[in-house]
Amino acid sequence: MSTISIIGAGGMAAAIAGLAAKAGHGVEVMSRDAAKARVLAEQIGAGATTGTFGTAPAGDIVVLAVPYAAVLDVVKQYGDKLAGKLLVDITNPVAADLASFVTPGDSFGAQEIARVAPADAVIVKAFNTLYSHVLAAGSFQGSPLDVFIAGNDAQAKARVAMFIESLGLRPLDIGLLPMAQTLEHVCLLSLGLLAHSIKHTNFSIGVSLPG
């Protein structure tokens, strides 16, 4: 198993870190709030460690588990410390109205992250269509959760897919990085369902295949 670095200490960070530790991966937690990082690492157990925010992550796969409002500043602060890393973008650049985006009209969240990341960092979009408590459970009604991924680098996507499978989840590749914009729209779909139809967050969006 590998070491996964997670930048952030909120609900999604806890969900991914918990599943990763359970699967036997080494987990490093990094956060601007060092106390929160320590609490999360202690909660995870299984030898989870904390890293100093802004220093080079130990893992080759780095999960950006901070809100979109903070992620660009976080990536800029890390700067060259993220060079050569595989960055997993789980963010959603949703505006306060929960029906539009804060990104420029001709762009999307993952692309904005790629613009500020080191040139040799690789971006893969994943996990952004799942609520944290649903993800933490690891399955839904006895079936693996679907995790949609998008990215330009086939090898990087294969590594992320293997990581997702190791968590007991099902990776589904939807194409190149521009398809991350579609995944960000799926977040709006989920929020629309929450507001107008389902009225709670105990659901996941996935694919049912015959057989």
Side-chain angles (χ1 to χ4, degrees):
M1 293 296 177
S2 56
T3 296
I4 308 299
S5 293
I6 299 177
I7 301 176
M12 287 296 288
I16 295 171
L19 291 175
K22 184 178 179 180
H25 295 283
V27 175
E28 176 189 50
V29 181
M30 313 176 87
S31 172
R32 281 175 169 163
D33 189 326
K36 285 186 177 180
R38 287 194 297 272
V39 168
L40 179 53
E42 290 171 2
Q43 173 188 323
I44 295 164
T49 63
T50 58
T52 302
F53 184 85
T55 62
D60 290 329
I61 295 179
V62 180
V63 180
L64 301 175
V66 296
Y68 182 78
V71 72
L72 300 183
D73 285 341
V74 166
V75 172
K76 289 176 184 177
Q77 184 168 343
Y78 272 84
D80 290 342
K81 302 295 192 303
L82 297 178
K85 298 292 186 179
L86 197 173
L87 306 181
V88 179
D89 167 30
I90 73 168
T91 68
N92 286 300
V94 177
D97 63 3
L98 303 182
S100 60
F101 297 113
V102 297
T103 44
D106 61 348
S107 188
F108 53 96
Q111 181 166 281
E112 293 301 301
I113 292 171
R115 285 173 174 167
V116 299
D120 61 349
V122 180
I123 313 295
V124 174
K125 189 81 169 186
F127 294 104
N128 75 300
T129 63
L130 292 163
Y131 289 107
S132 60
H133 65 283
V134 175
L135 176 58
S139 63
F140 189 77
Q141 295 183 341
S143 297
L145 295 167
D146 286 337
V147 181
F148 303 104
I149 61 176
N152 291 338
D153 187 304
Q155 184 177 3
K157 283 196 292 186
R159 289 173 61 197
V160 173
M162 288 179 61
F163 171 61
I164 291 168
E165 286 180 338
S166 76
L167 306 185
L169 313 175
R170 182 171 68 166
L172 293 174
D173 186 350
I174 71 161
L176 299 178
L177 193 63
M179 287 296 289
Q181 185 171 32
T182 299
L183 293 182
E184 292 166 9
H185 277 277
V186 172
C187 175
L188 291 189
L189 170 64
S190 179
L191 292 172
L193 289 171
L194 171 62
H196 301 287
S197 299
I198 299 178
K199 306 293 187 178
H200 60 75
T201 59
N202 294 320
F203 68 93
S204 67
I205 294 176
V207 176
S208 294
L209 299 173

